[in-house]
Amino acid sequence: MVRTRTIGGPTMKAGSFSLDPHKAAAAASWLRFDDEKRQIPWVISSEVRDHEGDVVSQKGIDLSLFKSNPQMLWGHDHSLPSIGSWPKVGKNMDIGGVRMTAALAQFATREEHELADTLYMLARPVGPDGKKRVAPLRASSIGFLSENPVYPKDQTEREKLGLGPGGVLHRKPIGRVHPL
């Protein structure tokens, strides 16, 4: 089963919490915004129910294929050159009481890729004036294959698993991540 999941990026708003990139650094010293290196902390997956009602288990997520070539594509578009990479990824982290997988998004320079530069400017947690802001671009989508998904047999089991209507629990997803 191939699924796509959109979740929050630099300022995550999913379910009932938000993740500010300035607070993410408290969870791991490497999760820091670095304008010179063009790196932005990013949540790439979480155990928060998504718009489809699905929950992705962070403990079971398999990033080996992703880590072998951690390229950042724009909107799942394989016809465009990569807009950057994900040099560091932390799996199954507890940030603000929520299990999630976070990464550093490193965007290509303007000289390397003009679109990447535009997207970087939209994703920066500080505006052109240097003040903190909620970035206009703050979501990503994890495309994944799921091994052994759990399809609840009834609404009671669905609620016990924290799933929405039609939701599936993905225990061992194999993923790719793309900003949207």
Side-chain angles (χ1 to χ4, degrees), residues 61-63 65-66 142-147 172-176:
I61 202 166
D62 178 357
L63 296 172
L65 181 63
F66 169 72
I142 180 169
F144 60 89
L145 297 171
S146 187
E147 290 181 13
K172 192 171 180 184
I174 302 169
R176 285 178 269 158

Side-chain angles (χ1 to χ4, degrees), residues 29-105:
S29 61
W30 56 267
L31 266 180
R32 297 198 183 284
F33 168 62
D34 187 327
D35 208 18
E36 191 174 306
K37 292 182 181 177
R38 302 172 64 84
Q39 293 179 336
I40 300 174
W42 208 278
V43 175
I44 59 174
S45 185
S46 72
E47 285 188 4
V48 173
R49 186 174 66 198
D50 70 7
H51 65 283
E52 299 271 332
D54 294 350
V55 174
V56 176
S57 168
Q58 300 305 291
K59 185 177 180 183
I61 202 166
D62 178 357
L63 296 172
S64 56
L65 181 63
F66 169 72
K67 285 182 174 182
S68 71
N69 189 21
Q71 297 303 302
M72 189 184 338
L73 300 179
W74 171 241
H76 297 283
D77 191 342
H78 296 266
S79 70
L80 293 174
S82 172
I83 60 168
S85 65
W86 305 94
K88 292 187 181 181
V89 179
K91 182 177 115 171
N92 198 30
M93 301 171 67
D94 183 328
I95 300 178
V98 177
R99 308 285 335 150
M100 59 184 67
T101 298
L104 272 182

